[in-house]
Amino acid sequence: MVDKKTLSERDICSKYITPALIQAGWDSQKQMLEEVSFTDGKIYVRGKLTARGARKRADYILYFKPNIPVAIIEAKDNTFSVRAGIQQALDYARILDIPCVFSSNGDGFLFHDRTATGADIETELSLDAFPSPQQLWEKYKKFKGITTPDAEKIASQDYYFDGSGRRPRYYQQVAINRTVEAIANNQPRILLVMATGTGKTYTAYQVVYRLWKAGVKKRILFLADRTALIDQAQKGDFKHFRDKMTIVRNRMVDKSYEVYLALYQGLTGSEEEKNIYRQFSPGFFDLIVIDECHRGSAKEDSAWHEILNYFHKATHIGLTATPRETSEISNTEYFGDPIYTYSLKQGIDDGFLAPYRVIRVGLNVDYEGWRPEDGKTDKDGNAVEDRIYNIKDYDKNLVIDERTATVAKKVSEFLKGYDRYAKSIVFCVDINHAERMRSCLSNENADLVAINYKYIMQITGDNDEGKRELYNFTDPESQFPVIVTTSELLTTGIDAQTCKVIVLDANIASMTKFKQIIGRGTRINEEYGKMFFTILDFRNATDLFADKDFDGDPIRVKPVSEETDLAGIIDEEEKDETPILDEITGDEIIVEKPLIRYPDTENPSLANEPRHKVYVNGVDVSVLVSRELYFDQHGKPITSSLKDHTRKIIKGSYVSLDDFINKWNSADQKAAIIEELQQQGVMVEALYEAVNKDIDLFDLICYVAYDKPPLTRKERANNVKKRDFFTRYGDQARQVLEKLLDKYADEGVEDIESLDVLKVKPFTDFGSPVEIIGSFGSKKRYLQSIHELEYELYKTG
């Protein structure tokens, strides 16, 4: 009889848990997923280097139907109790919105019923008593408040599958299911809050498809305020509706379709025109989806609100990344509280959104203000009003040529040290500022502009040539434009997958707008090396991190003490700078203002009137300090150096040098310690760059955390060769160990621990891996020899 306590966790799953599920009626092909990774693992950044942390992984998720999960199981090997996995399983069940939670060690199951309220909330079950799919579906319905046959039909409606294997991410699945279930329970207004870039349109499509397929919502209207958003929906996720879908254009209505995509501006018209939406009867639409609903649908006098009031019989679903709550505007007052929120911070924590660094550059005229000297005149010869001007005035009321030139110089300086072909967006105060910034950037990058003048482009609402280049800027395969200057146009409605640098030289007081702008950089494109992005902040806009409305716990951003040279900031970071462990998530964020308008102009009659500005030059503008901000895995700012931060992590696990050495020497696999440290936030590659690439992690940690002088790998290998370690082995085994020692000196300890090393030269000269291991007597003796070799390497440590 097999001793369960000798079996691995995987053996427990395959020999006991899976058979118990199949016996209970679960289909192993359609209803069971094992070892399900439901996050991508957060991205750690050091300089230009990146690494992903561990993914969140469930041992089993059980589905009544695809993407409708009803149970989660956490497995443990039999040395643990049946209850050992329940807390982790409960945490995952909360994240995944699953009602039935199980833990098992192969002896039976502990069942935690999230629908229960009494003493039966947790019960032990034998292996042959696991609930059937129908039994857990009944629990799910209770958990979701599904009480009627009609509601059950809607809630169990299949997802759309296009055959590509694409599945919703876990948070999309939760959002889709909650929305469909809320509508099944006759909720008339629904609000979904999902960070920019997390796939709101795909989520909306699955909701619409399931409701349409179930026959409960036969005519659907998808509303947005940007042509780009409508086009993306039509050509992207909604394309599967094919001939059943139309875009309302040129105020023409064809009532023969089932799915309508429309700009709200295209439905309402001007005062002189009849509102086109009134050509539809008030009961024509069953469902209206309002994309970016924070942009006005909650205002009593807004056009969207007017449309929604007219189609009041339809179900209204609001989608937004940034819900607005002010004295005049309230999304929750109209839609109610969000039925699901997936934040910017959570997206970065999960590894679905790109983390970012912030470099704040303080100019003297910004920090100290500027007061014109006696008799100072502007460029037209007019006297400049005598007062103190500050950052709120620059480029709005007062233009200082030298300030614009200095910002362009610092941006170019950064790119020259980082990547001159990194796609970058420079956000300016208005169109005039964007024009001047483009010119200054061109002067700073004359060599590349001479190669292709489209290296730098102004993309603003009034610039047709620039707008024609918008597609090329967002296309990962198109090299030009590289740098674009804008005011409002690029804050929303674009999918800039490879945008690596965002420059803030505009005053941003709105949290909504701040999140929208950040969202331009949060998309990940691993194929093109876009894993993170950088914000260059010239206006203290990132003070908004301290706002209570910023995702996650309130953050008070404090500048680090190091003064930095932007040209070398990335290289310095890789050598010995503070680590960046960004934890903020986000996707597609939309700005508050219309596309083609001057900023801060609320009166339509003034939209085309340039504001009066004073233009001056001859002002001393210099950089007071460049400060780089980093955030740890909890989203808190780090103000220490890379070495200090690493020392803190190491000493949190190993109080003394002896503790670390004992752990290192006793570990069967040094690679396991390396992986553990990386998951705790130690950026190994960055430390190598900062200290010495020729030492291994053992010496790196001893030096950084405990100030012990390091030895190089070659020095350690030579120390072993000086001793008589190899004489105890036979001739071939000795030669293999000598080659392994050379391998260590060249590449490190991880390589010699893997049996795969025996499959490459020079080891293949000794025979096959089986033959090589045979020269040691057995696999156990071979592994023991490797362990002894490692002990010799570090015995002087």
Side-chain angles (χ1 to χ4, degrees):
M1 184 174 179
V2 176
D3 182 1
K4 283 186 182 179
K5 297 196 181 302
T6 66
L7 299 179
S8 68
E9 181 181 299
R10 275 289 93 199
D11 289 334
I12 292 294
C13 291
S14 60
K15 295 180 182 296
Y16 297 97
I17 298 177
T18 297
L21 300 180
I22 293 173
Q23 180 183 330
W26 292 88
D27 187 325
S28 62
Q29 300 300 313
K30 297 180 180 179
Q31 294 181 300
M32 293 165 49
L33 285 181
E34 295 187 52
E35 296 189 292
V36 185
S37 294
F38 57 89
T39 68
D40 275 0
K42 68 180 179 182
I43 298 170
Y44 294 88
V45 183
R46 193 73 72 253
K48 299 175 187 176
L49 307 174
T50 61
R52 282 193 181 269
R55 298 180 176 188
K56 290 181 179 177
R57 181 185 62 83
D59 290 320
Y60 290 85
I61 298 180
L62 305 183
Y63 298 84
F64 183 69
K65 298 184 77 172
N67 295 114
I68 304 178
V70 295
I72 187 169
I73 305 172
E74 182 63 24
K76 297 292 182 183
D77 67 53
N78 201 249
T79 61
F80 293 91
S81 75
V82 72
R83 293 178 170 81
I86 198 66
Q87 291 192 147
Q88 182 174 332
L90 281 168
D91 183 44
Y92 288 174
R94 174 189 58 79
I95 295 171
L96 300 173
D97 208 24
I98 293 175
C100 300
V101 188
F102 297 85
S103 172
S104 180
N105 65 350
D107 289 339
F109 297 94
L110 180 70
F111 174 28
H112 183 105
D113 184 355
R114 297 180 70 200
T115 71
T117 56
D120 59 344
I121 192 168
E122 285 194 357
T123 55
E124 286 196 39
L125 305 174
S126 63
L127 282 176
D128 59 2
F130 194 86
S132 68
Q134 190 60 41
Q135 287 174 307
L136 293 191
W137 174 241
E138 296 301 321
K139 295 285 188 184
Y140 183 90
K141 289 193 294 181
K142 181 180 179 181
F143 185 67
K144 297 289 189 172
I146 300 167
T147 58
T148 67
D150 287 343
E152 181 177 1
K153 176 186 175 183
I154 298 169
S156 61
Q157 177 61 49
D158 290 336
Y159 276 65
Y160 175 82
F161 296 102
D162 60 6
S164 67
R166 180 184 184 184
R167 297 175 59 91
R169 291 171 173 172
Y170 84 85
Y171 61 85
Q172 294 170 335
Q173 177 180 277
V174 174
I176 294 163
N177 289 340
R178 285 193 182 182
T179 303
V180 169
E181 290 153 5
I183 292 173
N185 288 326
N186 299 313
Q187 185 171 324
R189 297 177 180 177
I190 295 161
L191 179 63
L192 279 177
V193 177
M194 297 172 64
T196 299
T198 51
K200 291 190 294 296
T201 306
Y202 174 69
T203 300
Y205 170 73
Q206 286 287 4
V207 170
V208 168
Y209 173 83
R210 291 178 67 193
L211 295 171
W212 174 77
K213 195 69 174 177
V216 295
K217 302 297 179 186
K218 298 179 181 179
R219 291 193 180 95
I220 297 99
L221 173 62
F222 181 89
L223 276 176
D225 73 331
R226 304 295 170 99
T227 301
L229 298 177
I230 293 294
D231 290 342
Q232 286 174 15
Q234 181 199 31
K235 298 173 184 176
D237 297 306
F238 277 73
K239 66 183 178 184
H240 306 294
F241 279 117
R242 299 182 178 87
D243 58 353
K244 297 178 177 63
M245 175 178 61
T246 186
I247 295 180
V248 179
R249 297 186 190 276
N250 302 319
R251 308 190 184 283
M252 299 296 293
V253 169
D254 184 340
K255 299 179 183 179
S256 63
Y257 292 91
E258 296 176 64
V259 178
Y260 294 77
L261 310 179
L263 293 173
Y264 81 85
Q265 303 97 317
L267 292 186
T268 54
S270 65
E271 291 295 328
E272 294 78 23
E273 296 176 288
K274 181 180 178 181
N275 289 321
I276 190 172
Y277 67 84
R278 294 186 182 275
Q279 296 182 41
F280 297 100
S281 67
F284 185 84
F285 291 111
D286 305 307
L287 175 67
I288 300 178
V289 179
I290 308 97
D291 195 18
E292 304 304 339
C293 64
H294 66 276
R295 294 185 55 82
S297 63
K299 295 177 69 173
E300 288 296 332
D301 59 350
S302 74
W304 287 18
H305 200 281
E306 187 179 345
I307 296 171
L308 298 185
N309 281 340
Y310 182 78
F311 296 115
H312 65 278
K313 295 180 181 180
T315 300
H316 299 164
I317 302 175
L319 306 176
T320 183
T322 51
R324 298 189 67 191
E325 298 298 323
T326 70
S327 57
E328 294 83 24
I329 301 172
S330 173
N331 288 121
T332 57
E333 183 177 337
Y334 184 84
F335 289 101
D337 292 332
I339 64 168
Y340 186 63
T341 298
Y342 189 71
S343 70
L344 175 67
K345 177 174 171 28
Q346 190 60 53
I348 293 179
D349 285 345
D350 289 340
F352 295 128
L353 297 175
Y356 55 92
R357 68 166 57 81
V358 178
I359 302 171
R360 298 178 66 168
V361 185
L363 305 180
N364 62 335
V365 292
D366 297 347
Y367 279 18
E368 300 169 354
W370 177 74
R371 183 177 181 181
E373 62 269 23
D374 187 36
K376 178 68 175 179
T377 59
D378 64 16
K379 294 169 70 173
D380 293 328
N382 302 311
V384 178
E385 180 185 355
D386 182 16
R387 67 178 179 89
I388 297 177
Y389 295 85
N390 58 40
I391 200 168
K392 293 182 179 179
D393 294 302
Y394 302 143
D395 300 296
K396 181 179 181 181
N397 306 313
L398 178 78
V399 173
I400 300 176
D401 287 345
E402 288 80 4
R403 188 189 182 282
T404 309
T406 300
V407 171
K409 178 180 179 180
K410 298 305 290 184
V411 171
S412 303
E413 182 180 283
F414 172 78
L415 292 175
K416 288 172 183 176
Y418 171 48
D419 175 5
R420 296 192 73 185
Y421 286 92
K423 294 288 182 83
S424 306
I425 305 176
V426 184
F427 288 97
C428 301
V429 169
D430 58 17
I431 291 175
N432 173 269
H433 186 200
E435 290 175 350
R436 292 182 288 103
M437 185 62 71
R438 188 210 64 80
S439 181
C440 289
L441 285 166
S442 296
N443 290 337
E444 291 292 334
N445 298 274
D447 55 337
L448 295 184
V449 172
I451 295 173
N452 190 324
Y453 77 93
K454 291 182 180 180
Y455 176 77
I456 301 168
M457 295 289 290
Q458 172 195 341
I459 302 182
T460 51
D462 69 330
N463 190 296
D464 290 337
E465 184 175 11
K467 286 191 290 185
R468 284 193 292 270
E469 292 300 320
L470 181 56
Y471 173 80
N472 288 329
F473 179 71
T474 58
D475 180 10
E477 295 187 359
S478 179
Q479 187 176 44
F480 300 101
V482 174
I483 305 172
V484 299
T485 66
T486 190
S487 57
E488 296 286 341
L489 186 58
L490 300 189
T491 54
T492 185
I494 66 164
D495 184 4
Q497 297 179 25
T498 56
C499 177
K500 295 182 178 180
V501 180
I502 291 176
V503 180
L504 302 179
D505 197 26
N507 298 317
I508 303 170
S510 161
M511 175 57 69
T512 299
K513 183 174 180 178
F514 180 60
K515 288 183 180 179
Q516 292 162 355
I517 288 175
I518 288 178
R520 298 311 102 211
T522 52
R523 293 186 184 273
I524 294 169
N525 190 318
E526 297 195 37
E527 181 181 357
Y528 290 89
K530 165 64 187 304
M531 302 293 286
F532 63 93
F533 66 104
T534 300
I535 296 176
L536 299 180
D537 182 9
F538 291 86
R539 299 269 179 158
N540 293 332
T542 49
D543 279 345
L544 286 169
F545 287 143
D547 193 294
K548 64 180 178 61
D549 291 329
F550 197 76
D551 295 329
D553 296 332
I555 297 171
R556 181 59 196 167
V557 177
K558 298 180 180 178
V560 297
S561 59
E562 294 92 342
E563 296 190 8
T564 54
D565 172 16
L566 296 193
I569 193 168
I570 301 300
D571 290 336
E572 286 300 313
E573 180 187 318
E574 291 183 3
K575 294 175 182 176
D576 192 14
E577 283 289 335
T578 312
I580 301 173
L581 303 173
D582 298 296
E583 291 295 331
I584 308 166
T585 75
D587 229 19
E588 188 179 354
I589 301 173
I590 310 303
V591 295
E592 298 173 80
K593 298 185 180 301
L595 278 174
I596 307 176
R597 281 178 67 181
Y598 284 90
D600 304 321
T601 303
E602 298 299 331
N603 187 339
S605 66
L606 300 178
N608 294 315
E609 295 182 15
R611 63 175 63 86
H612 176 69
K613 297 181 183 178
V614 177
Y615 294 78
V616 298
N617 54 19
V619 178
D620 175 31
V621 177
S622 60
V623 178
L624 286 181
V625 61
S626 295
R627 296 162 296 175
E628 187 159 5
L629 307 180
Y630 305 91
F631 303 89
D632 64 18
Q633 62 266 40
H634 306 297
K636 302 298 183 181
I638 297 171
T639 59
S640 57
S641 68
L642 173 61
K643 182 177 178 181
D644 290 340
H645 181 70
T646 304
R647 180 186 290 118
K648 182 178 179 181
I649 293 175
I650 300 300
K651 289 194 172 181
S653 299
Y654 311 105
V655 176
S656 68
L657 176 61
D658 288 341
D659 289 339
F660 174 69
I661 292 175
N662 290 336
K663 174 69 173 180
W664 183 269
N665 285 334
S666 63
D668 291 333
Q669 290 279 322
K670 306 298 185 282
I673 298 180
I674 296 171
E675 182 179 358
E676 178 184 336
L677 292 173
Q678 287 176 319
Q679 291 185 10
Q680 291 174 354
V682 174
M683 301 308 294
V684 174
E685 291 300 325
L687 285 172
Y688 281 137
E689 293 286 342
V691 181
N692 189 339
K693 292 183 178 180
D694 295 326
I695 65 177
D696 70 10
L697 187 64
F698 176 85
D699 284 280
L700 200 61
I701 297 303
C702 289
Y703 170 67
V704 170
Y706 307 104
D707 296 316
K708 182 177 177 60
L711 296 176
T712 66
R713 292 191 300 273
K714 288 185 178 180
E715 287 173 332
R716 288 196 174 276
N718 289 333
N719 287 341
V720 175
K721 291 177 180 179
K722 293 174 184 177
R723 298 190 286 270
D724 59 355
F725 169 70
F726 297 112
T727 59
R728 70 189 78 170
Y729 296 97
D731 183 57
Q732 181 165 326
R734 176 180 55 77
Q735 292 182 56
V736 171
L737 289 172
E738 287 175 344
K739 294 299 183 183
L740 285 170
L741 190 61
D742 292 338
K743 190 77 170 175
Y744 162 82
D746 290 336
E747 300 180 25
V749 70
E750 299 100 307
D751 287 314
I752 70 172
E753 290 184 334
S754 172
L755 292 176
D756 290 339
V757 74
L758 303 180
K759 299 176 183 178
V760 299
K761 280 189 170 293
F763 301 100
T764 51
D765 295 338
F766 297 108
S768 68
V770 173
E771 291 171 328
I772 294 172
I773 291 171
S775 68
F776 288 82
S778 66
K779 182 178 179 181
K780 182 178 179 180
R781 290 289 301 276
Y782 172 79
L783 295 176
Q784 179 62 30
S785 299
I786 300 300
H787 191 70
E788 290 172 355
L789 176 59
E790 290 179 344
Y791 178 79
E792 289 294 324
L793 280 167
Y794 300 110
K795 68 186 292 186
T796 60

